[in-house]
Structures are given as C-alpha cells and as structure tokens.
C-alpha cells in the first residue's frame, strides 16, 4: 500500500483528482458536492473516461464499428447514446436490452444479439427490427431463427458461437470457452462445423462469421490468440469443404481491468496489435482471406470510469484473535449496489474522498448496511485509523456489473447514477424510492 | 433420487400435488394455467402454507407475538398483512422495510428494527412511528438513539445485540454469531455488558432484553441452546450487578429448511421445546426469572411455500469428458430471479410440473438465460432424459431470498408473484417491464 491519499491512475477514473484540500473531484466536480446534492450511496460516472475508452478500443481494433460495447456491463439509454455517438456497435443479450437500445435510437444494424436461450420473442424482434447480427448458440435456435426470418421474408445475418476449448485464467463463473458450459458449439466435437454448414444452407440465414469468447477479466493475451488460431482453423475447413470465405471473426470480450493498485489492466493496444497480426499471419498460412476482427468489451469500457460514493456510518473495533483487532467500517450501501465481492470474491480499491487521511493504517474491513454478515465490500484492507463516521469513501472501478447486477435486498432502493463532465453534473438514473418498490404491488 | 414425478413433502409447498394427468397443482391451481396466464418465469406462493408455518411457529414458541417474521426473506404489503393477520411480530432491517410494513398498516409496536448501520433517518422513524423494539448494534447507535428519543420526548424500548461466540455450521456469509463479523457486541470481551449498562442508564432508552442470532440455515439445535446459555449468563450478571431483570430474550432466526430431498428441515416443535426447557432450567439455576423467548424466522416461514416456474428453452448435450456428456437445460430465468446458487452454492429441487416424465435420468445441469456461464440454477443434477423444450420446470422452496435478492441483470424484469389459495389465484406483484426499468432514467 502506497499513500492512502493517492488515487492510482490505472484504477481510478481518468479525470479523478485529489485537490489541495484533500477533496477528490471527478471531471472537476467535488464528490462531496455530489453526495450533498444526490445523497449517498451514489454512482458517479466520468463521461469522458467512458468515451475515451470507446475511442481507445476503436483505434486499437481498426475502427469503432469493429468494437461492440457489451450492454450487460451497464446499459441505460444515455449509455447507448454515448456508444452510438462514438460510432461503436452494441451487444445485447435479452429482449429488454434490445428495447433499451432501440429506445435510445441506437441503429439496429449495429446491434448484435447474444444469449444461450434467446426465446422466440427476442429472436423475432431481432429479425423485425433489423438487428445486424444474431449469434447462434444452439441447433434449435438456428432452425427457429431460419423459420422466423422466412416468415418475415428476410435474410438474417448470423454468426456461430464456437467453444474453442481454451480455459482462461479467471473465475470459473465467468470463464466461457471451456467445453463444460452452456454457451456455443464445440469446435473439438465437430458440432461447430456442422452448425456452420447448416447456417450456410439455411435459406433465410446469412453466415458472416464465427464467434468465441474466452472469458472475463482476462489479463493474458495468449488466450485470445490461441482461441483465434483454433477458430481460424475452422474458417479454413469451411473454405475448403464448403467453398465459403467468412468475412468476420468475433473474438468476444474479457479484457481485464485493474480493480486494485496491484493489478495491471490488460494493455489493449498491445493485445490488439498482437491479435490482429496473429490473425493475419494464421490466415495467410491457411490460405484464406483474413477476416475482420470484431471485439466485445463491456467492463473495459464502462468499468474504470465509475466510482461508488458511500458515507461511513458505524465504526466498530472487533477482537478477532487474542490481542488482534479488526476495524469494521460500515457504509450506507453494500451487496445490493455491488454484489461482486460476495458473488465472485472481487477486490476493490476504496479511498476516503472527502478529505486527506493522516493516520497509520490498521487492519480494516469495509462492510455494507445489509442484514447479512456476508455483506462485505472489502474483506481484508489496511486503512488509516482516522477514518470516522461521516467520511465519504468511494470504491473505484464500479462501472461494470455493479449497477447492472444490483438488487433491492432489504428494500434498499437503487442509488442514483450521476454523470460528470467538464465541471458539470447530470443525473442519469434517479434514486429508487419505496414508491417504486410498491408500484409493483397489484 | 427417488421417482422424479414425486414431490417430496418436506421440500414442496404443503398444498402441492401431482394430478393423475401428471400436472402439478398448488392449492388446487394447475401450474401450467398460471404459466399460461402470467407467463414464465413466475413465482407461485401457497398462501395457506405461509400462514400455517406462522401458526406452527406461534404454537411452538408460546404465542404469535413471540415470533417475529424476518422481512428480509420476502416482504410485500400482502406478506405484511398475512403476518399481521396471523398475529406475529415483524422484523425490519431498513427504513424502506419499515415503510412497506407501515404501508400495510402493520402495528408499529409489534415491529423490531435491526441493522448494523441503521442511519439517523431510520432510527428517527423508529422513534416517531413507535416501533416496538430497536435492537442496538453499536455504542454509537446507542448514543444517537438516546438523543433522538430525548428530542422526541419518548422512551424507546431497546435490546442489545450480543455475539455469543458460537460458530454455527452454515455458509460463512450467513453465520453471524462468531466474533469476526459486523453485528453486535462481544459477550467475551465485556462490551455487551457495558452496552447493557449504558442502555439501562440512558434516560430515553428502556432495555428489555438481549438479542443474539446464531446464523442462517441452521439444522443443529445445539447452537441455539448454547447461545441461550451463554447469553443467560449475562442476564444473571446484569441482575446481580445492575439490579435489573430483563424480561425478554431474542434468539434470532436461522431455522433451516429442506431445499433438497436429502435434507431434513429443522424440527421446530422439538427445537422450541428443548430451547424453552433449557432457558427455564438455566434461568432457575442462575436464580433469575426466565425471560420470554422471542424468535425471528424468515426463511422457515416464507421459504417452503413458494416455487418458481420456468419454461425449458434450449436443450444441449455437451461433451464434458471423453464419452461423458452433460445435458444443459436452459430456462427463461436464472441468476436474476434466484442468485442463491451462484452466491452461496445453494442447492434446489427441480421437477417437471406440466406432465409426467418417464425416461431414465441422465447427468444434467439446469441453467438460466443470462449472458454469464455462472448462471446455473442446479449444477449437478440427474434428470429424466425426456425433458424437452416447452416443458415447465419448477424449483421448490424459493420463497425466501430469491425475489428479495432479485436483480435486473441483462435487463430481465422481475417475474410476477402469484398467490394461490383454495383453487384461486391472485396477483401479488406484477411482472416488471422495460418501462419500469426506463422509468428511472432522468
């Protein structure tokens, strides 16, 4: 642990800054002002951070249209508009995600639809709304989509999701290209080839490429390159045996970000360069045209630019062993606004953002206000001993899968989401109230 | 595994029944009819099951007022009314839970307020609304509540939450009486005694008892009795040294239920009898009046009477090892409507409810429709090989901590909750729509 007053640049939003008075600002807006105006907890999104990461990805992968922002990380109409304005494409994984994108006037032809069990209504909406790509995940889906497209007298562009059999070094729940999981067609068993053949033969489907996804929070470029290599082998087989050159190759997402000071985010430029070079080289060796590489970052775009600001409430020293104490710092949110520590054992970087802290660090645990002892935000921490009730603490890099997976446990309403840019704040999502909760009662 | 067409009575709702045509009914209502009318996924609540478990608890613990239903398991206005009509008391653990209870006209004097970090607004509402008990969790809270009560010229009844230092055999996240956790005052260190002394001396607080909570999903009566014994030691010390006889003892919740055929629910009658006998005996030995024992079941009341009905979508056989396959059955919900398998590794009993199944069982996995490979509802199952797309499958015992912890991941709207009683259905909570999700956008 370096100085607790630092804000490690690779973890915190690009426009986060600690002023001379100790107060942290994002895009020039002091976080205590946001807490005062909107209450706590509150998510604060650095809009320029989000947009700049869209631009970085677009540059690295040869154009914004090759980069599909993964909605599941965090989607609102505003987010969809940002993605559209930056020229990126968009992944959706449910009918409602598609509806939100369309409600933001996101162009349907730049949308790709995912899911292991899309359901007829979602597939039909994809066809009728003119969604650019549907990524087929099962034989059943292939047949159903072909029928729907026939009924609508359309030809639907599709990709085939392939399991290349790579085990990425990540949490099991979010590692998605090994064989024993629900997504895609196995490369090894030949079912991916058979699906490609069926899609090519289907009258109302137009197969434009194969898709694979190595996992989430991947820090190791090797997995992507190995997956690309294996999948290109199938491109070559399809070319040889079926006479079709597939123009696109979707390598999914999974670009790891730094949640803690010790972690280093995956270097997107370097990985993109290596990946595109490897794809070109392998394609040349196989005697096929190199397909355009598409990628699907979600977390790597939405994650680092957002912080969650909490107010410290109860402070309690607990004896955990003879002579050993742990300070429990309770905040006014918890597992309802960020399930990731409880669900995946995820780590976070927390700092006091309302002032400088001076005291020496002591063994600490940052916990939420839920009626559950597993409601822990940071399990093993070393924080200054002078953190006290009323201080504002922020967790960094909460832009992905925090709001998106938030619950109303203990009837906590969801916190608001506030965007900041050039010294100005704007409310993106208002705080949920008990009236919102009661509005579902019949 | 016995016959897959069975509905193990200790796991399924009390009024669940498989008809001669193979269709499962609850309280006389066929589940396929509910699926047809309300769509899937849908939670179905057996109202009489819920009420009968309230009555069982009331009988076991010497009167309904001694039993506090724990809101966090599942709370709606309807549920609060049921609890009120059965004469039980109610636990709340947030300002919004209190508001929902009051919106149902639940009598405030039968409400107990919990939480490690209640916050001033919640504490103030407890005082002004006349909440029966506030369970104090920290020294800071004791001081603040005394001040608030003074300002309102009221005397607030309180209890002190004590950590008796018992490790219950349960998932770490939900084991709550060991020392290294956020709740309560340590018995061993003397801080619980000091808190009791401070509460007795505080002018605007009226200490009526001590509270402890052994954990959740406890199957072992021993933990409760040991905790009671230790806490009664403190009653005796308070009596001896401070001259005060505390009239109540709250032993919390944690009564385990059966999620699978192999589990046996805790025998509430037997545990209550043993517990009350032990408390009386220990009190007599200590020379104090035996306090009235209060308990706080949530899951044991709300859990067993509810099932979640899904429709099977994609069916996919996956080769997991040479010659070994696993069938992936995808349903139209998942970790958004039930996070417990992903969060705690919880197990569930799933059955086809729309017809008889006949085929021999094969290695299967029941997964959701979310864009995440950890979206697994039942990880290692053995289900009949004739389950197919369009079948309705229900998970039993989903009444507690499923809806309560539900999210909108992938913008899935929450499923509706339908109650059934005496052949009739009633909508308790309507399905969330994309309009509900968009309504938070500023």
């Amino acid at each position: 642990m370096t100085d607790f007053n630092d804000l490690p640049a690779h973890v915190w939003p690009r426009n986060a800054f600690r002023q001379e008075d100790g107060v942290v600002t994002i895009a020039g807006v002091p976080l205590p002002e946001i807490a005062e105006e909107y209450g706590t907890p509150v998510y604060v999104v650095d809009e320029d951070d989000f947009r700049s990461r869209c631009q970085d990805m677009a540059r690295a992968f040869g154009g914004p249209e090759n980069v599909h922002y993964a909605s599941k990380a965090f989607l609102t109409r505003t987010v969809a508009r940002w993605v559209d304005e930056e020229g990126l494409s968009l992944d959706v994984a449910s009918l409602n995600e598609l509806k939100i994108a369309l409600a933001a006037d996101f162009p349907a032809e730049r949308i790709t639809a995912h899911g292991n069990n899309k359901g007829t209504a979602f597939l039909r909406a994809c066809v009728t709304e003119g969604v650019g790509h549907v990524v087929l995940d099962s034989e059943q889906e292939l047949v159903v989509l072909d029928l729907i497209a026939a009924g609508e007298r359309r030809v639907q562009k599709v990709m085939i999701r392939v399991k290349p059999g790579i085990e990425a070094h990540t949490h099991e729940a979010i590692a998605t290209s090994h064989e024993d999981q629900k997504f895609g067609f196995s490369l090894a068993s030949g079912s991916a080839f058979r699906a490609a053949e069926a899609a090519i033969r289907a009258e109302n489907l137009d197969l434009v490429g194969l898709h694979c996804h190595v996992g989430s929070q991947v820090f190791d470029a090797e997995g992507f390159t190995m997956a690309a290599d294996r999948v290109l082998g199938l491109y070559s087989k399809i070319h040889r045996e079926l006479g079709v050159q597939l123009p696109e190759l979707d390598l999914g997402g999974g670009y790891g970000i730094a949640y803690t000071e010790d972690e280093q985010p995956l270097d997107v430029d370097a990985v993109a360069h290596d990946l595109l070079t490897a794809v070109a080289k392998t394609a040349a060796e196989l005697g096929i045209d190199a397909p355009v590489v598409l990628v699907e970052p979600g977390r790597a775009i939405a994650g680092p630019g957002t912080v969650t600001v909490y107010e410290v409430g109860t402070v309690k020293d607990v004896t955990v062993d003879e002579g050993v104490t742990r300070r429990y710092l309770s905040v006014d949110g918890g597992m309802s606004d960020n399930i990731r520590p409880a669900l995946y054992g995820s780590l976070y970087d927390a700092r006091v953002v309302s002032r400088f802290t001076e005291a020496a660090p002591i063994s600490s645990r940052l916990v939420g206000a839920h009626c559950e002892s597993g409601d822990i935000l940071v399990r093993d921490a070393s924080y200054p001993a002078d953190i006290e009730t009323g201080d504002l603490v922020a967790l960094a890099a909460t832009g992905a899968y925090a709001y998106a997976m938030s619950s109303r446990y203990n009837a906590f309403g969801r916190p608001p989401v506030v965007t900041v840019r050039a010294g100005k704040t704007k409310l993106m999502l208002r705080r949920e109230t008990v009236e919102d909760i009661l509005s579902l009662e019949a």
Side-chain angles (χ1 to χ4, degrees), chain A:
Chain A
M1 168 74 70
T2 56
D3 187 345
F4 191 71
N5 294 307
D6 284 351
L7 302 174
H10 60 296
V11 179
W12 283 69
R14 286 179 169 165
N15 300 298
F17 174 70
R18 193 182 293 274
Q19 297 179 154
E20 281 183 14
D21 63 356
V23 165
V24 172
T25 64
I26 299 183
V29 183
L31 291 176
E33 276 184 20
I34 294 176
E36 180 68 27
E37 182 171 354
Y38 297 97
T40 52
V42 56
Y43 301 91
V44 180
V45 184
D46 178 350
E47 180 178 343
D48 283 335
D49 180 293
F50 186 101
R51 289 179 182 271
S52 68
R53 291 177 202 272
C54 289
Q55 293 155 16
D56 293 349
M57 284 283 175
R59 195 178 56 246
F61 286 100
E65 67 282 4
N66 297 338
V67 180
H68 293 241
Y69 172 71
S71 294
K72 61 178 179 163
F74 179 50
L75 183 69
T76 66
R77 277 196 306 230
T78 304
V79 167
R81 279 190 208 109
W82 292 351
V83 172
D84 183 23
E85 285 163 16
E86 297 300 332
L88 270 58
S89 302
L90 187 75
D91 279 356
V92 298
S94 73
L95 179 55
N96 278 353
E97 286 186 353
L98 175 60
K99 285 181 177 175
I100 294 170
L102 296 175
D105 297 320
F106 198 96
E109 65 273 15
R110 293 215 318 274
I111 295 177
T112 295
H114 280 280
N116 64 303
N117 183 26
K118 296 185 188 73
T120 310
F122 183 23
L123 290 173
R124 186 176 304 281
C126 288
V127 173
T128 58
E129 297 289 348
V131 158
H133 295 70
V134 174
V135 180
L136 294 173
D137 206 83
S138 70
E139 292 164 40
Q140 285 167 276
E141 191 175 86
L142 192 153
V143 172
V144 171
L145 185 65
D146 188 36
L147 280 171
I148 290 172
E152 300 289 335
R153 295 166 199 270
R154 300 218 187 185
V155 173
Q156 176 64 52
K157 279 191 196 166
V158 297
M159 305 188 91
I160 300 284
R161 180 151 180 170
V162 174
K163 285 189 282 198
I166 309 289
E167 303 255 3
H169 302 293
T170 184
H171 189 287
E172 195 219 350
I174 47 182
T176 48
S177 78
H178 59 289
E179 293 287 327
D180 189 13
Q181 46 102 350
K182 67 181 181 178
F183 291 107
F185 294 87
S186 165
L187 189 68
S189 74
S191 81
F193 176 76
R194 289 191 297 276
E197 190 175 19
I200 288 167
R201 293 202 176 143
E203 270 192 31
N204 297 282
L205 304 180
D206 175 18
L207 183 69
V208 297
L210 306 182
H211 175 285
C212 67
H213 182 68
V214 180
S216 291
Q217 268 304 80
V218 177
F219 289 104
D220 177 0
E222 205 189 331
F224 296 109
T225 312
M226 277 176 63
D229 247 40
R230 291 204 189 173
V231 176
L232 283 171
L234 187 51
Y235 277 71
S236 167
K237 182 176 161 79
I238 290 168
H239 180 222
R240 276 196 322 275
E241 301 187 16
L242 306 174
V244 174
Q245 287 249 19
L246 299 177
E248 297 173 12
L249 167 61
D250 192 332
L251 291 172
Y255 304 93
I257 68 167
Y259 283 102
T260 66
E261 200 169 354
D262 298 340
E263 291 174 331
Q264 282 301 327
L266 189 131
D267 181 337
V268 173
D269 275 325
V271 167
H273 176 266
D274 292 353
L275 200 52
L276 298 180
T277 307
V279 166
K281 182 163 170 284
T282 304
E285 287 167 8
L286 292 167
I288 55 172
D289 295 346
V292 174
V293 171
L294 310 179
V295 292
E296 305 178 319
R299 185 196 316 266
I301 289 174
T306 296
V307 305
T308 312
V309 182
Y310 303 96
E311 185 177 310
V312 176
T314 307
V315 177
K316 195 188 281 187
D317 288 329
V318 169
T319 303
V320 295
D321 227 329
E322 211 155 319
V324 181
T325 63
R326 188 200 299 280
R327 179 159 295 175
Y328 275 76
L329 300 163
S330 296
V331 296
D332 48 2
M335 63 194 292
S336 56
D337 61 71
N338 192 344
I339 191 74
R340 296 189 67 258
L343 184 58
Y344 307 121
S346 306
L347 306 176
Y348 279 95
D349 187 83
R351 312 268 163 165
V352 172
V353 295
S354 47
R355 64 179 177 89
F356 287 119
T357 47
E358 306 291 350
I362 57 172
S363 170
S364 304
R365 180 168 286 177
L366 194 70
V367 299
H370 288 279
C371 200
E372 173 151 341
S373 56
D375 174 31
I376 295 169
L377 288 169
V378 184
R379 175 173 287 266
D380 289 305
S382 186
Y383 294 144
D386 59 346
I387 300 180
E388 53 190 29
T389 304
D391 281 338
L392 297 179
V393 164
L395 253 63
T398 58
Y401 305 106
Y403 195 94
M405 301 182 86
S406 63
S407 76
R408 289 167 169 171
Y409 191 32
N410 283 133
F412 281 30
R414 287 184 176 77
V417 180
V418 174
T419 66
V420 291
R421 190 182 206 186
K424 292 205 164 20
T425 64
K426 199 167 170 185
L427 185 64
M428 186 197 286
L429 297 171
R430 66 173 175 77
R431 186 180 297 282
E432 270 188 338
T433 64
V434 74
E435 288 74 28
D436 290 315
I437 297 172
L438 290 173
S439 73
L440 294 173
E441 304 219 359

